[in-house]
Amino acid sequence: MKIEAVSVGTPRVVRWRGKEVATSIFKAPVDGPVAVRRLNLDGDRQADPSAHGGEYKAIYAYAAEDAEWWSAALGRPLEPANFGENLSVRGLAEEPIHVGDVFCAGSAVLEATEPRLPCYKLGIRFGDPRMVETFATARRWGIYFRVVKEGELQEGDVLERIHRDSEAIPVYDIARVYVFDRGDAAAMQRLSAHPRLDPSWKEHFVDRLASRAAGTGS
């Protein structure tokens, strides 16, 4: 896998559906080495850390091939980092990547944590509120990484997997179970027991399983 672009951005306020909204989904590619910090890349800052950012969502990567698929599906070229991604990666296949898999890029070490979920700010970025549902249906989520070791990375660096997690639970499964297959109790049990899972996701799946057991939820 190869990094084709590194993009960063800071919060800006935009007008959306009659309201002012702060968002950092507008990012732009940068040249040269970029420092990888514990919670983000240098020059990047999240507008809403509760939804994007933090330890388990420090860096967002999206497949270059999926961006090209979207361009064809929408019938127009996309702008750089149109999904708010920090890394555009050629060869990033989501389903074979597991929660807890570890990668190196440049001198940084990253761990795959979770997918991106559909968010109304995709509607802002694409100028179309229907993009949230369209993104969900396409199941081309992209992947968040936490920073295991700070360092530097840049366009042209290889993103190389250096450790495969023994549990082998696809990152993809988190969004699949959350959005679509809400009755997949076996997947929720495996996810909730995973020691590397983001604690907020662990809590979510534990609660879902408890609701199912009590007969109060799906």
Side-chain angles (χ1 to χ4, degrees):
M1 295 178 282
K2 186 175 182 179
I3 298 173
E4 291 195 343
V6 180
S7 301
V8 299
T10 54
R12 68 171 71 172
V13 176
V14 299
R15 192 83 177 166
W16 178 246
R17 309 188 84 175
K19 297 181 179 179
E20 290 190 339
V21 178
T23 178
S24 294
I25 198 169
F26 294 90
K27 301 186 188 295
V30 292
D31 296 325
V34 178
V36 178
R37 307 299 185 190
R38 189 177 70 86
L39 298 181
N40 50 30
L41 300 177
D42 256 10
D44 196 58
R45 188 160 57 87
Q46 294 83 8
D48 180 7
S50 66
H52 309 284
E55 178 184 356
Y56 288 86
K57 292 179 281 190
I59 296 173
Y60 178 48
Y62 203 73
E65 294 87 347
D66 283 346
E68 291 165 355
W69 180 90
W70 279 108
S71 181
L74 297 173
R76 61 178 176 84
L78 299 187
E79 297 177 357
N82 225 143
F83 294 90
E85 65 268 30
N86 299 113
L87 307 179
S88 174
V89 182
R90 178 71 55 182
L92 180 69
E94 291 183 43
E95 290 191 56
I97 295 178
H98 309 127
V99 176
D101 282 0
V102 180
F103 298 79
C104 65
S107 59
V109 179
L110 312 175
E111 180 183 75
T113 55
E114 56 196 88
R116 186 211 177 105
L117 293 179
C119 168
Y120 77 96
K121 290 181 179 178
L122 285 168
I124 295 175
R125 186 68 176 89
F126 282 82
D128 182 357
R130 297 171 298 177
M131 189 61 192
V132 179
E133 182 178 353
T134 304
F135 181 82
T137 303
R139 303 194 186 206
R140 297 167 186 264
W141 315 105
I143 292 178
Y144 278 114
F145 292 89
R146 64 181 287 268
V147 177
V148 177
K149 175 179 174 292
E150 295 184 340
E152 288 184 338
L153 54 72
Q154 63 183 317
E155 175 188 346
D157 282 345
V158 171
L159 181 67
E160 179 184 4
R161 178 159 34 193
I162 58 176
H163 168 74
R164 292 178 183 268
D165 187 80
S166 61
E167 298 294 325
I169 300 177
V171 169
Y172 179 91
D173 272 5
I174 297 173
R176 176 184 65 79
V177 173
Y178 181 80
V179 180
F180 294 106
D181 303 329
R182 298 180 61 83
D184 191 344
M188 287 189 280
Q189 288 169 347
R190 290 190 70 204
L191 284 161
S192 63
H194 196 294
R196 307 301 304 156
L197 190 69
D198 179 338
S200 64
W201 275 117
K202 186 182 292 287
E203 181 180 3
H204 171 80
F205 289 123
V206 166
D207 287 348
R208 283 261 296 272
L209 288 166
S211 294
R212 283 177 58 85
T216 59
S218 59

